[in-house]
Amino acid sequence: MKIILIGGGKTIYFLAKHFIGEGHHVTIINRDPEESKTLSHQLDATVLLGDGSNPEMLDQAGAGSADVLLCLTSQDHNNLVTCQIASEEFDVPRTIALVNNPENEEIFRKLGVPLIFSSTRVITSLLEEQTGFMAITNLMAVAQGKVNVTEVRLPENAPVAGKSLQELKLPEGFLLATIIRNGDVLVPRGSTILQAHDQLILIGQAKNYTDVLRTLTGE
């Protein structure tokens, strides 16, 4: 597989090292002359000095035959534009962008870059999962981020506690997949009564999640 990495730092270095170790061909585009020189000495990769958002540079990097492009610079607008150019002008089958500001995630999706990740979002989710600090944990995003699998822990004062699932009116397109109660896994039925501290595993469209979570947790 031909992979283009754009950016610098340890993340690019270790990603490239991993992909090369897996037998993939890696090309790196980096703006910094010294870092580019260092990477070319450390890795069995093609390293180009330049701007990854420049179509000529992408062409030189072999974007026309690349299988994957990952853009991991510290500038969200560069990551967005580069992935758009790679997809629209070079038909790169899969482009993945780093979103430094989580508030920009929706903009990336609307502008045609569905495969994104936010290190802030990842770290926050891990922290929430480990500490139980928040009632909501995003477990997984599928279908290019259009669908989320989320765990919701009902707080003591949850407005839905004491109600049956028949009374719980989730928006169309949402599924309550399972309930974890005191360590036991329950298959939800219409007559199942929700309790405080239940852990609900929800599957549904990301765009409607805010209303659903507010209904469940009252927050």
Side-chain angles (χ1 to χ4, degrees):
M1 190 161 64
K2 294 181 179 179
I3 301 172
I4 298 176
L5 302 176
I6 301 173
K10 294 294 185 184
T11 302
I12 289 290
Y13 168 77
F14 285 111
L15 278 174
K17 186 177 180 180
H18 172 78
F19 291 139
I20 293 167
E22 294 291 321
H24 303 300
H25 180 274
V26 174
T27 298
I28 300 171
I29 302 177
N30 186 289
R31 287 172 176 265
D32 184 82
E34 289 301 319
E35 186 174 15
S36 296
K37 186 183 299 183
T38 301
L39 288 170
S40 66
H41 290 157
Q42 292 177 326
L43 298 167
D44 185 18
T46 301
V47 181
L48 301 177
L49 173 63
D51 179 1
S53 64
N54 184 331
E56 293 183 1
M57 179 58 65
L58 288 175
D59 188 33
Q60 187 178 344
S65 60
D67 299 290
V68 181
L69 178 144
L70 291 90
C71 198
L72 310 176
T73 78
S74 60
Q75 302 296 321
D76 280 355
H77 62 277
N78 282 341
N79 297 339
L80 173 62
V81 170
T82 301
C83 286
Q84 287 178 316
I85 294 172
S87 177
E88 294 172 6
E89 296 192 20
F90 295 95
D91 292 325
V92 177
R94 187 169 298 175
T95 61
I96 303 171
L98 169 65
V99 182
N100 297 281
N101 182 351
E103 295 180 359
N104 290 335
E105 290 180 352
E106 190 60 25
I107 296 174
F108 274 65
R109 293 192 181 100
K110 286 182 177 178
L111 294 179
V113 184
L115 294 179
I116 59 175
F117 71 96
S118 163
S119 55
T120 302
R121 186 83 65 191
V122 171
I123 293 170
T124 301
S125 295
L126 287 172
L127 181 63
E128 291 171 359
E129 184 175 358
Q130 293 301 316
T131 64
F133 181 67
M134 298 289 286
I136 302 164
T137 303
N138 288 318
L139 301 177
M140 184 189 305
V142 296
Q144 299 181 338
K146 294 178 182 177
V147 177
N148 281 346
V149 180
T150 299
E151 176 189 309
V152 178
R153 291 183 292 278
L154 296 182
E156 185 69 37
N157 57 348
V160 296
K163 293 184 178 180
S164 70
L165 296 186
Q166 291 172 326
E167 299 175 273
L168 186 63
K169 295 182 180 179
L170 294 175
E172 185 176 351
F174 266 86
L175 171 68
L176 174 54
T178 192
I179 300 170
I180 302 173
R181 180 178 295 163
N182 300 323
D184 296 325
V185 177
L186 307 180
V187 177
R189 304 180 185 281
S191 58
T192 302
I193 304 296
L194 294 174
Q195 298 180 8
H197 310 300
D198 278 352
Q199 297 168 255
L200 313 182
I201 306 301
L202 290 166
I203 303 173
Q205 293 178 308
K207 63 181 181 181
N208 295 327
Y209 248 77
T210 300
D211 291 339
V212 173
L213 297 178
R214 186 176 294 120
T215 299
L216 292 172
T217 66
E219 295 176 356

